[in-house]
Amino acid sequence: MESVGSLVGSPWIYAVVALSVLLDVFLPVLPSGVLVITAAAASTAAYVPDILVLTLCAATASVLGDLVAYRLAWRGGPRLDRALARSRRLRGAQERLGAALARGGGGLVVLARFAPAGRSVVSLGAGAARHRARDFLPWSALAGLTWAGYSVALGYFGGQWLGATWLAAAVSVGALLAAGAGAGYLMRKPHPAKAG
């Protein structure tokens, strides 16, 4: 944790976090959540200019990544449309997202931010289905802020309770993965109207 603590104590941590969170919409295998949690856990032992800046940095990068994916899918063209049409998961996500946004309930966007690859599916699906940005953006901002606040809180409080150790980071990452598994389950769960 000491080597991570030296990175956390420098302004570079914000750039590394922002880049990781921004790009993980395209490469969901990037460990941006792990990085945010580890930085927050290490901050309990090292001087960090402001833990709030870490939260805002991660949230802003999350929203920007969503918007880049949204715009790319919006402009996608026939090749992207064919790829989305072949994916049953993306088609289902587009349908659920469209219904949720139409009735003003974009909670699916927030929930998807926690699910593995859910952010990618929802951002690309919203753009490909050409949902209005004014319907998608507020929910994306809420999702980014909720996810960043939760991740930073996990790392920070894990570091407070267990010390700035790898154990604290591992326990906090476990809690993030559990939230992701729960979000993934809720996203796949059939709606009552469809089940009947």
Side-chain angles (χ1 to χ4, degrees):
M1 278 309 238
E2 290 175 11
S3 60
V4 174
S6 64
L7 175 63
V8 169
S10 78
W12 285 106
I13 188 61
Y14 304 118
V16 172
V17 164
L19 187 61
S20 175
V21 172
L22 181 76
L23 293 177
D24 84 353
V25 73
F26 301 106
L27 302 167
V29 296
L30 282 178
S32 62
V34 174
L35 179 61
V36 171
I37 287 173
T38 305
S43 73
T44 59
Y47 172 76
V48 177
D50 193 344
I51 197 83
L52 181 62
V53 175
L54 181 63
T55 305
L56 293 176
C57 181
T60 302
S62 178
V63 175
L64 289 176
D66 288 354
L67 289 178
V68 169
Y70 171 87
R71 287 302 294 164
L72 286 174
W74 181 283
R75 301 178 76 207
R79 186 175 178 188
L80 179 63
D81 290 341
R82 282 192 305 272
L84 292 174
R86 283 192 305 263
S87 171
R88 190 176 53 133
R89 186 176 185 188
L90 284 173
R91 276 196 322 272
Q94 279 181 315
E95 290 168 9
R96 287 192 303 270
L97 178 64
L101 290 176
R103 64 179 183 270
L108 179 64
V109 177
V110 177
L111 188 62
R113 183 60 185 94
F114 289 86
R119 174 185 178 207
S120 304
V121 170
V122 167
S123 297
L124 292 170
R130 292 180 172 61
H131 292 291
R132 296 179 304 188
R134 70 176 186 220
D135 292 336
F136 176 70
L137 181 59
W139 291 105
S140 172
L142 179 60
L145 192 57
T146 302
W147 172 83
Y150 179 72
S151 299
V152 168
L154 281 177
Y156 181 77
F157 290 117
Q160 289 289 324
W161 292 326
L162 299 172
T165 64
W166 287 111
L167 176 62
V171 168
S172 299
V173 167
L176 183 66
L177 293 175
Y185 171 77
L186 290 174
M187 287 180 65
R188 286 189 301 274
K189 186 177 176 182
H191 297 291
K194 289 183 182 178

